């Protein structure tokens, strides 16, 4: 997966989740996350729990996704959004100086909470202590607790991550997309030019399951197979995703459309697809498995000779430890070399289509 495909994947996620693109520069993009994306990526469960309990307007974070770190650094954007650091203070903190009259900002905030001062006085005290005119816009804390923080905590700093294959943030995105897209239900959008506005169009229901086949020994090969089955006729279509990916699909049922009845239950459809996949795998050339068995037997022979000699001349007190090492090594070699085929489901869904999918008739069914 190269950087171009990574950027395409990230941008597609941002557009799908409704994020607002604030800046698109060379090698990076800065976005205002949507509430959905903020919940997925920013790990702010406590904040969103507070918003949902109080009904307050959400304030999603901004984030910078970096695709080319060198170009991003040369553009001078690495420090964008960071607040000015106060003299003598650490990053992300502010040094509080006494306000005129001997009152500190904490005293001003305390007087507001006790009702002895107005919010405008608190804002004036805050400006005098930090030397920075902070915005006086209404905030969640101000609305519900009567005071706003008087110390600038660095909230305006825009976090960023470099999106490379294997990076923590990209792996997080993969996990989010896989979780959210594991099960879907889509409807084909009918062509208005061909649809009769006075008649209801019948849609057939297809179950699509995307399987991942892993041919594993001391080497590995993966295959992806997209199988679809018509829940009314039992017809199976291989390469189902390739057949429908260019069709216009929507998650909502279009107007003047009805779903035709099905005759195959979900459990039966899954069993039919699994049998079809098993039949297909049996037709493969399994020479790789025979060669893997030969390598496994060779490795077994080597460790038998090695540990057999050790056990023959070992002291009685050492034999137990050597036997444990022997069994452990046998298990490691068996796991590494034993040929096997692993099948897993990456995602699946129901597709309601108005146009049929042509496929060859299976004479065995």
């Amino acid at each position: 997966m190269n950087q171009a495909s990574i950027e395409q994947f990230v941008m597609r996620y941002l557009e799908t989740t409704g994020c607002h693109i604030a800046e698109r520069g060379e090698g990076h993009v800065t976005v205002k996350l949507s509430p959905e994306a903020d919940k997925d990526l920013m790990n702010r469960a406590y904040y969103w729990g507070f918003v949902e309990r109080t009904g307050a307007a959400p304030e999603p974070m901004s984030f910078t996704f970096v695709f080319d770190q060198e170009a991003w650094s040369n553009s001078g954007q690495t420090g964008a959004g960071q607040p000015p650091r106060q003299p003598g203070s650490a990053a992300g903190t502010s040094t509080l100086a006494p306000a005129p009259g001997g009152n500190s900002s904490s005293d001003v905030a305390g007087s507001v909470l006790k009702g002895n001062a107005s919010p405008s006085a608190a804002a004036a005290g805050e400006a005098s202590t930090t030397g920075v005119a902070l915005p006086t816009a209404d905030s969640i804390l101000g609305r519900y607790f009567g005071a706003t923080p008087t110390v600038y905590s660095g909230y305006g700093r825009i976090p960023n991550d470099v999106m490379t294959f294997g990076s923590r943030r990209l792996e997080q995105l993969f996990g989010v997309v896989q979780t959210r897209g594991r099960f879907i239900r889509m409807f084909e959008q009918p062509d208005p030019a061909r649809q009769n506005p006075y008649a209801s169009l019948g849609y057939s229901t297809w179950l699509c399951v995307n399987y991942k086949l892993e041919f594993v020994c001391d080497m590995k090969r993966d295959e992806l197979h997209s199988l679809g089955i018509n829940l009314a006729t039992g017809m199976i279509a291989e390469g189902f995703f390739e057949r429908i990916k260019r069709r216009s699909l929507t998650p909502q049922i279009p107007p003047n459309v009805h779903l035709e009845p099905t005759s195959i239950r979900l459990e039966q459809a899954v069993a039919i697809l699994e049998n079809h996949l098993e039949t297909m795998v049996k037709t493969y050339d399994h020479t790789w498995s025979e060669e893997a068995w030969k390598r496994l037997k060779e490795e077994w022979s080597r460790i038998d000779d090695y540990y057999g000699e050790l056990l023959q001349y070992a002291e009685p007190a050492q034999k137990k430890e050597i036997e444990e090492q022997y069994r452990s090594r046998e298990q490691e070699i068996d796991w590494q070399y034993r040929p096997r085929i692993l099948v897993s489901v990456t995602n699946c869904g129901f597709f309601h289509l108005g146009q049929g999918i042509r496929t060859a008739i299976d004479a065995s069914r």
Side-chain angles (χ1 to χ4, degrees):
M1 192 174 190
N2 54 27
Q3 287 301 115
S5 57
I6 291 176
E7 181 175 357
Q8 182 181 8
F9 169 77
V10 173
M11 295 304 301
R12 185 176 180 184
Y13 169 80
L14 297 177
E15 294 172 359
T16 303
T17 53
C19 298
H20 173 69
I21 299 178
E23 178 187 359
R24 183 75 182 270
E26 186 176 358
H28 75 282
V29 61
T30 301
V31 298
K32 181 77 170 180
L33 297 174
S34 64
E36 179 184 356
D38 193 302
K39 294 177 183 179
D40 288 341
L41 303 178
M42 293 295 103
N43 194 22
R44 299 199 297 164
Y46 181 81
Y47 169 77
W48 287 107
F50 170 79
V51 170
E52 293 171 358
R53 288 193 303 270
T54 60
E59 299 175 4
M61 293 180 61
S62 296
F63 196 85
T64 299
F65 296 90
V66 181
F67 307 110
D68 188 338
Q69 189 172 12
E70 183 177 356
W72 182 61
S73 301
N74 294 336
S75 65
Q77 298 291 329
T78 54
Q82 295 184 8
R85 185 180 301 179
Q86 298 295 328
S89 65
T93 61
S94 300
T95 302
L96 298 179
N103 293 328
S104 65
S105 62
S106 58
D107 296 332
V108 176
S111 62
V112 172
L113 293 174
K114 296 177 182 178
N116 299 329
S118 62
S120 60
E126 182 181 350
S128 65
T129 56
T130 61
V132 180
L134 296 179
T136 58
D138 193 13
S139 66
I140 293 179
L141 293 179
R143 289 196 300 270
Y144 292 94
F145 298 104
T148 56
T150 59
V151 179
Y152 190 80
S153 61
Y155 178 77
R157 180 181 179 275
I158 300 178
N160 59 80
D161 263 331
V162 180
M163 308 299 290
T164 57
F165 190 74
S167 64
R168 180 188 64 86
R169 186 67 67 181
L170 186 60
E171 291 296 327
Q172 184 186 25
L173 266 179
F174 286 156
V176 168
V177 172
Q178 185 176 10
T179 300
R180 289 187 173 271
R182 194 168 181 84
F183 306 100
I184 61 173
R185 184 179 186 182
M186 304 295 289
F187 298 84
E188 183 179 7
Q189 191 72 35
D191 187 1
R194 298 182 178 180
Q195 186 179 14
N196 185 353
Y198 303 103
S200 179
L201 181 62
Y203 273 17
S204 58
T205 302
W206 290 76
L207 171 66
C208 173
V209 182
N210 294 325
Y211 293 98
K212 180 181 179 181
L213 291 180
E214 300 176 74
F215 301 87
V216 183
C217 56
D218 54 328
M219 297 179 285
K220 186 179 179 182
R221 178 169 61 90
D222 296 343
E223 289 183 2
L224 293 176
H225 294 273
S226 180
L227 301 180
I229 179 171
N230 190 315
L231 297 184
T233 64
M235 179 183 297
I236 296 177
E238 297 182 2
F240 186 83
F241 176 74
E242 294 296 327
R243 296 170 181 258
I244 65 169
K245 68 177 183 179
R246 299 188 182 278
R247 298 191 181 188
S248 178
L249 301 174
T250 176
Q252 297 180 349
I253 184 169
N256 296 331
V257 165
H258 70 274
L259 302 182
E260 296 179 350
T262 60
S263 58
I264 301 177
R265 293 184 292 106
L266 179 61
E267 297 81 0
Q268 294 175 329
V270 172
I272 293 172
L273 290 180
E274 290 179 353
N275 291 335
H276 180 84
L277 187 65
E278 182 179 357
T279 303
M280 183 173 59
V281 171
K282 289 180 179 179
T283 62
Y284 282 18
D285 181 11
H286 295 287
T287 305
W288 66 273
S289 176
E290 298 173 359
E291 295 175 351
W293 273 111
K294 292 179 182 178
R295 293 192 296 270
L296 175 60
K297 292 178 180 180
E298 291 175 358
E299 290 296 322
W300 273 343
S301 177
R302 290 191 183 98
I303 65 170
D304 287 344
D305 295 340
Y306 175 74
Y307 284 100
E309 186 174 354
L310 283 181
L311 290 172
Q312 183 178 359
Y313 298 101
E315 297 293 334
Q318 297 178 340
K319 283 189 176 182
K320 184 177 180 180
E321 181 179 357
I322 295 176
E323 288 176 352
E324 291 179 354
Q325 293 179 359
Y326 186 17
R327 288 193 296 268
S328 176
R329 184 57 182 158
E330 275 187 330
Q331 293 175 358
E332 291 176 0
I333 291 178
D334 185 79
W335 175 85
Q336 182 179 1
Y337 286 89
R338 180 180 292 273
R340 56 197 181 275
I341 300 176
L342 306 179
V343 182
S344 59
V345 176
T346 58
N347 50 16
C348 59
F350 291 107
F351 290 85
H352 306 283
L353 307 178
Q355 299 178 0
I357 293 181
R358 296 182 179 180
T359 182
I361 297 177
D362 189 356
S364 63
R365 299 189 65 250

